[in-house]
Amino acid sequence: MIGVFDSGVGGLTVVRALMEHLPGYDIVYFGDTARSPYGTKSPATVTRYALEDARRLLAEGARVIVMACNTASSLAPEVVRQTFGVPVFDVITPAVEAALAATRNLRIGVIGTRATVLSGIYETRLRQRAPGCRVYSAACPLLVSLVEEGWLRRPETAMITKKYLLPLKTRGIDTLILGCTHYPVLAEVIQRKVGRRVRLIDSADGLARQLADFIAGPAGKDLNLPQTGRHRFLFSDLTDHLAGIARRLIKGHLNLELVRT
Amino acid sequence: MIGVFDSGVGGLTVVRALMEHLPGYDIVYFGDTARSPYGTKSPATVTRYALEDARRLLAEGARVIVMACNTASSLAPEVVRQTFGVPVFDVITPAVEAALAATRNLRIGVIGTRATVLSGIYETRLRQRAPGCRVYSAACPLLVSLVEEGWLRRPETAMITKKYLLPLKTRGIDTLILGCTHYPVLAEVIQRKVGRRVRLIDSADGLARQLADFIAGPAGKDLNLPQTGRHRFLFSDLTDHLAGIARRLIKGHLNLELVRT
C-alpha cells in the first residue's frame, strides 16, 4: 500500500490528489490528531513523531511512505529514509520544482508553520537548484487554526491572511509556495491578498505526479503495490468536529478508524 | 510538593497565583507541550493524558495534584482522584463558587475550549448549586491560538473575541467565567467586548485560596508539604517561542526543563 501521514487532517488534500493520479492503488492514511499540530513543536519532537508515524504505516502494510505534512517533510525525510530503507516522498521537493518552473523574476515567497519556516528548508532547496533566486518566508501559524475551525470565508481570516502576506507582497514575489497542507483550502483568500499575478504553488498535485512516475518506473514496479482500490483512514484521535473537516477536505464520505498510540 | 499540570503554558497563570498565596511551598509544574492543545481533542484522549500527567507529577514527588487545565478539569478529576488516591484540585470548582458569589441576575456566561463546552461541566455544576441559574456557553477555540501567538492587542483578536462573545452579551449575562487558563491574559479585550458591567471570573485566585485553606487544615498538615521555595517547570517539548510565552505568563525568569514522554 501507499502510506501517507500527516499531523492531522490537512494531509487529506494530498490523498485526494493521489486518488486522482493513482486510481485503484491502495492507500493507508495516518493522521496524528492526538498530538497535532506539529508546526508549533520542536525539531526533535517532530522528528520523533515522524519516525513513529512511518513505523505505524509500515506495520499496516505500507511499502512507500508519503510525508504529507510540511513540518515533518522539512525536518525528517532523511532520517525516515535511513531508518526504514523504504522509498520516502516529501512535500518539499515537488513544491520546489513547481515554484522554479513557474517563477519568471526568481523572487519566490514561502508560507508555512513556524517550524517549517525556522527550518529554512525551502530557501536551502531553492538556492541549491537556482542559486540566483531570492526567497522570502513568512510563518503563518494562525492559518492552521482558522482552517481547522472552518473559518474559510470570514473577514477575520482575510485580515489575518493579509497581515501575514503583506511583507511578501512588498518584496515583489511572482510565485508563492503554500508550505502547509492546510493552506490550499484558503487559496482563494490568499490569492486575493497576495495579488492576482502571483502564482500559488501547492505540493499535492506535483507530489502525486512524482509518485505516479515512480510507480510506473522499474523501482516502483518491483514494489508490486496492490491495486484493490482500498483506502483506509486511521487517526490517533477522533471527534465529530474533526470528522466533519476530514469529509470536507476529501469531498466525500470517509470511514475513519481510531487507532491507539 | 504541589504538583500542577496543564496541556501547555497556560497553567502558569495558576502557578503565579499559587506562588502569591502559598509563598515558600515547593511546586512542580508539568506542561504537556508535546501534545498540546487538549481542548480540540476527544474526552477519551484528554482523560488518558490527564492520568499520564498526574502520574508524572507523583513520580516527581507531588503529594497534591492541581489540574490547571480547564479541559482536563472538565473531564478527568474524578478518575485522577480514584486512580491515585491523592487530593486533586480542579479549576472548575473555584470558578463555579466565584461566579455564584458574583452574579445578581443568575445569568452566567461560560467561555472555554470546544472540549470544555461540549462536556457541559459548568452548566451541570452551576445548576447543582443554584437550580434557578441560567448558563450560556460559547466555545472560543481560536483564543488559545491567538494567546500562544502573542496577539494580545491586535485588532483581529478584538474582532474574533467580539464575535464569540456577542451571543452571550445578548443574553444579558452579568457574570462571565473565563473557562480556559489562556483567557485571563485577554481579560482587557474580553471585558471591553462583553461590556463593563459583566464580572469576569478567573479560577486562578479562587483555586489558590482553596488550596491554601486545605493546606492550613488537618488533612493538609498531614501531608507535610515541603517549604523550601523550590519551583520546577517541566515541559514535554520546548521551543524558544514557548519559553518566551512562559516567561511572559509567569512575569519573571524561569528555568524550563525538558522531559521525555
Side-chain angles (χ1 to χ4, degrees):
Chain A
M1 301 177 97
I2 300 167
V4 182
F5 76 82
D6 181 41
S7 59
V9 292
L12 292 173
T13 58
V14 171
V15 172
R16 211 171 65 199
L18 293 180
M19 287 166 150
E20 280 167 32
H21 287 266
L22 290 159
Y25 277 89
D26 294 5
I27 297 172
V28 54
Y29 180 86
F30 175 62
D32 193 11
T33 39
R35 305 190 292 196
S36 73
Y38 286 0
T40 53
K41 284 150 196 166
S42 70
T45 293
V46 172
T47 302
R48 177 160 66 88
Y49 289 173
L51 286 168
E52 290 174 11
D53 298 343
R55 182 171 289 120
R56 172 178 297 274
L57 288 173
L58 295 170
E60 296 288 346
R63 291 178 213 162
V64 178
I65 299 290
V66 174
M67 301 174 69
C69 172
N70 265 269
T71 303
S73 290
S74 70
L75 296 163
E78 266 320 304
V79 65
V80 172
R81 230 166 251 137
Q82 284 169 17
T83 304
F84 301 110
V86 294
V88 174
F89 292 81
D90 63 71
V91 284
I92 312 294
T93 310
V96 164
E97 295 306 322
L100 289 174
T103 184
R104 282 162 195 274
N105 69 4
L106 286 176
R107 288 171 167 264
I108 299 172
V110 179
I111 55 175
T113 64
R114 181 168 288 114
T116 298
V117 167
L118 282 176
S119 79
I121 185 78
Y122 281 105
E123 284 90 327
T124 308
R125 300 284 293 282
L126 286 163
R127 303 278 276 277
Q128 278 170 353
R129 292 271 288 101
C133 83
R134 299 204 176 183
V135 184
Y136 304 99
S137 303
C140 307
L142 286 168
L143 298 190
V144 169
S145 312
L146 290 163
V147 169
E148 294 197 338
E149 284 314 304
W151 283 35
L152 306 185
R153 275 163 234 281
R154 303 258 190 137
E156 294 82 0
T157 304
M159 274 177 79
I160 292 172
T161 303
K162 185 179 176 182
K163 185 161 282 181
Y164 280 142
L165 293 177
L166 189 66
L168 301 181
K169 194 176 175 181
T170 59
R171 296 295 192 159
I173 58 166
D174 72 347
T175 306
L176 176 65
I177 294 176
L178 306 181
C180 174
T181 44
H182 282 74
Y183 299 168
V185 294
L186 292 174
E188 207 180 296
V189 60
I190 290 171
Q191 186 78 71
R192 212 162 58 231
K193 294 303 174 188
V194 79
R196 289 282 156 210
R197 270 176 296 200
V198 173
R199 272 281 293 278
L200 302 189
I201 304 295
D202 158 6
S203 323
D205 223 59
L207 174 69
R209 270 184 282 116
Q210 195 194 353
L211 186 61
D213 287 350
F214 169 81
I215 287 174
K221 278 190 179 137
D222 276 358
L223 289 176
N224 211 1
L225 293 171
Q227 298 180 60
T228 68
R230 196 163 171 231
H231 299 143
R232 293 185 64 200
F233 298 93
L234 315 180
F235 293 90
S236 52
D237 191 37
L238 275 181
T239 62
D240 289 346
H241 182 76
L242 261 177
I245 301 171
R247 293 199 177 97
R248 255 193 293 171
L249 288 178
I250 210 89
K251 294 187 179 163
H253 182 74
L254 284 181
N255 182 26
L256 309 176
E257 301 172 48
L258 178 64
V259 292
R260 262 300 286 264
T261 44
Chain B
M1 303 177 94
I2 299 166
V4 183
F5 76 83
D6 181 42
S7 60
V9 292
L12 292 172
T13 58
V14 172
V15 172
R16 213 172 63 198
L18 293 179
M19 286 167 150
E20 279 168 31
H21 287 265
L22 290 159
Y25 278 89
D26 295 5
I27 297 173
V28 54
Y29 180 86
F30 175 62
D32 193 10
T33 39
R35 304 190 292 195
S36 72
Y38 286 0
T40 52
K41 284 150 197 167
S42 69
T45 294
V46 172
T47 301
R48 177 159 66 89
Y49 288 174
L51 286 168
E52 290 173 11
D53 297 346
R55 182 172 287 121
R56 172 178 296 275
L57 288 173
L58 295 170
E60 297 288 346
R63 292 177 214 162
V64 178
I65 299 290
V66 174
M67 300 174 72
C69 172
N70 264 271
T71 303
S73 289
S74 70
L75 295 163
E78 266 320 304
V79 64
V80 171
R81 228 166 253 137
Q82 284 169 16
T83 304
F84 302 111
V86 295
V88 173
F89 292 81
D90 63 71
V91 285
I92 311 293
T93 311
V96 164
E97 295 306 320
L100 289 174
T103 186
R104 286 164 191 272
N105 70 4
L106 285 177
R107 290 171 166 264
I108 299 173
V110 179
I111 55 174
T113 64
R114 180 168 289 113
T116 298
V117 168
L118 281 177
S119 79
I121 185 77
Y122 281 105
E123 285 90 328
T124 307
R125 300 285 293 282
L126 286 163
R127 302 276 278 277
Q128 276 169 356
R129 292 270 288 103
C133 84
R134 298 204 177 186
V135 184
Y136 304 99
S137 303
C140 306
L142 287 168
L143 298 190
V144 169
S145 312
L146 289 163
V147 170
E148 294 198 338
E149 284 313 304
W151 283 34
L152 307 185
R153 276 163 233 283
R154 302 258 191 138
E156 294 83 359
T157 304
M159 273 177 81
I160 291 172
T161 303
K162 186 179 175 182
K163 185 161 283 181
Y164 280 142
L165 293 177
L166 189 65
L168 301 182
K169 195 176 175 181
T170 58
R171 296 293 191 161
I173 58 167
D174 73 348
T175 306
L176 176 65
I177 295 177
L178 307 181
C180 174
T181 43
H182 282 74
Y183 299 168
V185 293
L186 292 175
E188 207 179 297
V189 60
I190 290 171
Q191 186 76 73
R192 212 162 57 231
K193 295 302 174 189
V194 79
R196 290 281 155 209
R197 271 176 294 200
V198 174
R199 272 282 291 280
L200 302 189
I201 304 295
D202 158 5
S203 324
D205 225 57
L207 174 68
R209 269 183 283 116
Q210 192 194 353
L211 187 60
D213 288 349
F214 169 81
I215 287 173
K221 278 190 179 136
D222 277 357
L223 288 175
N224 211 2
L225 293 171
Q227 299 180 60
T228 68
R230 194 161 173 234
H231 298 143
R232 292 185 65 201
F233 298 94
L234 316 179
F235 293 90
S236 51
D237 191 39
L238 275 180
T239 62
D240 290 345
H241 182 75
L242 260 178
I245 301 170
R247 294 201 176 94
R248 255 192 293 171
L249 288 178
I250 210 90
K251 294 190 177 157
H253 182 74
L254 284 182
N255 182 27
L256 309 176
E257 301 172 49
L258 179 64
V259 292
R260 263 299 287 264
T261 43

